[in-house]
Amino acid sequence: MENMELPEFLQILKEKDPKYAANLLENFSETQTDGALPAKTKLLIAMALDVGNGDIDGVKALSEHAREAGATEEEILEVVKVIGSVCGTQGLFYATKAFK
């Protein structure tokens, strides 16, 4: 988490209310590190959820973080295919933002 740039909303909260932000950052960090699921899997799930929210910036950032955590292009492509089968072409539009 230390090497990862915080999303803007967490940066703002960290400045405005450090105590509250610390709790959120602890949870945020836990969801992006190895546990019962590897970090790359959690990040790919988060990427898919951002597709569902239409958050292109989130898709781009999370796919890059997943790569940094060891996700391959083939794994990201497989997630994109799953998104396409569940969300259709609109989901594919957002999901393909994971590729540079």
Side-chain angles (χ1 to χ4, degrees), residues 4 29-46 62 65-66 68-71:
M4 192 179 299
S29 177
E30 187 175 303
T31 63
Q32 299 197 17
T33 56
D34 288 340
L37 292 172
K40 73 175 183 178
T41 301
K42 293 179 188 181
L43 289 161
L44 291 170
I45 291 168
L62 287 164
H65 295 314
E68 292 167 4

Side-chain angles (χ1 to χ4, degrees), residues 15-88:
E15 292 172 15
K16 300 291 184 186
D17 190 339
K19 185 177 176 182
Y20 178 70
N23 290 328
L24 289 174
L25 290 169
E26 182 179 340
N27 180 278
F28 190 75
S29 177
E30 187 175 303
T31 63
Q32 299 197 17
T33 56
D34 288 340
L37 292 172
K40 73 175 183 178
T41 301
K42 293 179 188 181
L43 289 161
L44 291 170
I45 291 168
M47 183 191 87
L49 292 169
D50 269 4
V51 166
N53 289 324
D55 184 354
I56 292 173
D57 290 336
V59 171
K60 290 177 181 179
L62 287 164
S63 65
E64 190 55 38
H65 295 314
R67 284 180 185 91
E68 292 167 4
T72 65
E73 292 301 301
E74 292 79 18
E75 289 170 323
I76 293 170
L77 180 58
E78 194 160 325
V79 172
V80 168
K81 290 176 182 179
V82 170
I83 290 166
S85 71
V86 174
C87 300

